Amino acid sequence: LRLVYCLHALNHVLKDYRDQGLARPKVLIVIPFREAALRIVDIMISLLKSDEKSMVSNKKRFYSEYKLDNKDQRRGAKPEDYESTFTGNTDDHFRIGLGVAKKTLKLYTNFYASDIILASPLGLRTIIGSEGSKYYRQNIILSSVSDPQILSLFNKHCCNYNGKITLHRPETKGSISQVVVQLPQILPTHKDPVLAQTLIYVPSYFDFVRLRNYFVREDLSFVYISEFKVRGIKHIIFYELPLFPHFYSELCNMLIENRQENSSCTVMYSQYDVQKLTEIVGSDRASHMISSSKHIHMFVTGE
């Protein structure tokens, strides 16, 4: 996908002569980390090469600021998808302008003199100005998951007068099919007041702060951690469904070391979680759960 949108961006800059706006920049690519900017620039350099060697200005400076030596990183300590996402330079405050010609790529050009701008959300926010003509731009949003916030962004702010289109994956069986531990799952409330060794998964930082403050105020014994594997868990509570569906099966399968019959997984959800719920339990089950008059649904692995 990265190769495809880089090719599309270069083709748009070099060949679309009808795109004559009020400012020179034609393409904005919003990405999370400097490592992503590095990969994009490397792809663009390779695409601009022909029989002759392409010219890249400020290349040495760019690599010194965006490239990171990974030789000292300890591999295998985190899940594969985590290491793939957070490899390289993970600084999330950057912006860089690119000037493009047929065989030349200029790095660190002035923003209003640039053809392409690469920026993180934080880096973009510090330079953003007044609102432009939003009906005359092409928006491309790529995501491996379907998230209400992304859909809201698409529905409210992608307003091209030629229309818009969204593509979804076909119906899925959900990541619940990858849970190998036999335990009851998917309950909207956790009624047992005394459950030792319980892990509460909280994806939102704002919810985490609210929950942490509540535990402190109620003088409850707890610890909080981030992005680590935990042993000795007997019960899991999902305060909210995870954005990435495979997180669900990964956390449930952490209970396999416990091997006790009274283990359980409890999930709180609402009608606004239909996209996330579909990715967890599958399309058919999610449709039934959301439309059902019952407020409690239980699945047991293997059934």
Side-chain angles (χ1 to χ4, degrees), residues 76-80 199 225-233 250-251 254 257:
K78 299 287 181 69
E80 184 178 351
L199 169 70
I225 58 174
S226 176
E227 299 162 353
F228 286 95
K229 293 182 179 179
V230 184
R231 295 182 178 180
I233 300 171
E250 284 184 4
L251 286 172
M254 287 168 57
E257 297 178 355

Side-chain angles (χ1 to χ4, degrees), residues 237-272:
I237 299 175
F238 283 89
Y239 193 81
E240 181 184 348
L241 289 166
L243 176 60
F244 296 97
H246 66 278
F247 284 6
Y248 179 84
S249 55
E250 284 184 4
L251 286 172
C252 287
N253 288 332
M254 287 168 57
L255 299 176
I256 196 170
E257 297 178 355
N258 193 44
R259 298 183 183 279
Q260 293 193 20
E261 295 181 357
N262 62 346
S263 298
S264 67
C265 172
T266 301
V267 178
M268 295 185 286
Y269 66 93
S270 72
Q271 59 180 342
Y272 302 106

Side-chain angles (χ1 to χ4, degrees), residues 46 49 76 90 97 126 143 162 205 211 221 232 271 276 286 293 297:
S46 65
K49 283 183 178 179
T90 56
T126 58
S143 175
N162 269 338
Y205 179 75
L211 203 60
S221 176
Q271 59 180 342
K276 295 179 182 178
S293 59
H297 298 272

Side-chain angles (χ1 to χ4, degrees), residues 160-265:
N160 192 293
Y161 78 98
N162 269 338
K164 52 190 176 183
I165 185 172
T166 177
L167 300 176
H168 296 280
R169 290 201 308 270
E171 293 186 354
T172 175
K173 293 183 178 180
S175 64
I176 195 172
S177 60
Q178 299 170 0
V179 177
V180 298
V181 182
Q182 187 168 2
L183 74 161
Q185 303 162 63
I186 315 291
L187 298 171
T189 55
H190 202 259
K191 297 182 178 180
D192 194 336
V194 183
L195 285 172
Q197 294 172 257
T198 296
L199 169 70
I200 303 179
Y201 175 85
V202 188
S204 167
Y205 179 75
F206 303 105
D207 286 335
F208 161 74
V209 171
R210 186 182 299 112
L211 203 60
R212 181 195 61 189
N213 293 344
Y214 172 78
F215 283 175
V216 171
R217 188 167 59 249
E218 297 295 322
D219 196 26
L220 298 174
S221 176
F222 73 100
V223 295
Y224 51 89
I225 58 174
S226 176
E227 299 162 353
F228 286 95
K229 293 182 179 179
V230 184
R231 295 182 178 180
I233 300 171
K234 293 182 179 179
H235 306 277
I236 297 178
I237 299 175
F238 283 89
Y239 193 81
E240 181 184 348
L241 289 166
L243 176 60
F244 296 97
H246 66 278
F247 284 6
Y248 179 84
S249 55
E250 284 184 4
L251 286 172
C252 287
N253 288 332
M254 287 168 57
L255 299 176
I256 196 170
E257 297 178 355
N258 193 44
R259 298 183 183 279
Q260 293 193 20
E261 295 181 357
N262 62 346
S263 298
S264 67
C265 172

Side-chain angles (χ1 to χ4, degrees), residues 17-230:
Y17 300 108
R18 294 174 298 173
D19 186 4
Q20 301 295 329
L22 298 176
R24 177 171 175 172
K26 295 182 177 68
V27 178
L28 167 67
I29 303 179
V30 182
I31 43 182
F33 305 124
R34 286 180 181 251
E35 173 66 18
L38 174 66
R39 296 183 185 186
I40 288 172
V41 170
D42 282 342
I43 289 176
M44 288 186 174
I45 291 174
S46 65
L47 289 173
L48 289 171
K49 283 183 178 179
S50 59
D51 295 336
E52 301 177 10
K53 189 175 181 180
S54 61
M55 294 180 58
V56 182
S57 63
N58 296 316
K59 187 176 181 180
K60 185 176 181 181
R61 175 190 169 187
F62 175 76
Y63 282 128
S64 67
E65 294 182 3
Y66 283 76
K67 198 170 186 179
L68 188 67
D69 188 359
N70 288 329
K71 292 182 179 179
D72 296 332
Q73 284 190 340
R74 187 162 60 96
R75 309 293 293 180
K78 299 287 181 69
E80 184 178 351
D81 63 314
Y82 180 97
E83 292 187 346
S84 176
T85 301
F86 295 99
T87 189
N89 192 331
T90 56
D91 177 37
D92 64 349
H93 188 187
F94 66 91
R95 54 185 183 270
I96 182 172
L98 310 179
V100 182
K102 288 187 176 180
K103 296 180 181 179
T104 304
L105 180 65
K106 297 180 180 179
L107 305 176
Y108 297 97
T109 53
N110 180 275
F111 287 109
Y112 283 102
S114 301
D115 296 303
I116 300 174
I117 294 176
L118 308 180
S120 65
L122 181 59
L124 180 64
R125 186 66 186 87
T126 58
I127 62 167
I128 209 163
S130 59
E131 293 186 6
S133 177
K134 63 181 179 180
Y135 298 104
Y136 296 90
R137 68 182 183 211
Q138 181 185 99
N139 303 282
I140 300 176
I141 302 176
L142 303 174
S143 175
S144 61
V145 294
S146 180
D147 179 63
Q149 293 178 327
I150 295 176
L151 294 177
S152 176
L153 174 67
F154 177 79
N155 291 329
K156 292 181 179 180
H157 300 287
C158 297
C159 307
N160 192 293
Y161 78 98
N162 269 338
K164 52 190 176 183
I165 185 172
T166 177
L167 300 176
H168 296 280
R169 290 201 308 270
E171 293 186 354
T172 175
K173 293 183 178 180
S175 64
I176 195 172
S177 60
Q178 299 170 0
V179 177
V180 298
V181 182
Q182 187 168 2
L183 74 161
Q185 303 162 63
I186 315 291
L187 298 171
T189 55
H190 202 259
K191 297 182 178 180
D192 194 336
V194 183
L195 285 172
Q197 294 172 257
T198 296
L199 169 70
I200 303 179
Y201 175 85
V202 188
S204 167
Y205 179 75
F206 303 105
D207 286 335
F208 161 74
V209 171
R210 186 182 299 112
L211 203 60
R212 181 195 61 189
N213 293 344
Y214 172 78
F215 283 175
V216 171
R217 188 167 59 249
E218 297 295 322
D219 196 26
L220 298 174
S221 176
F222 73 100
V223 295
Y224 51 89
I225 58 174
S226 176
E227 299 162 353
F228 286 95
K229 293 182 179 179
V230 184

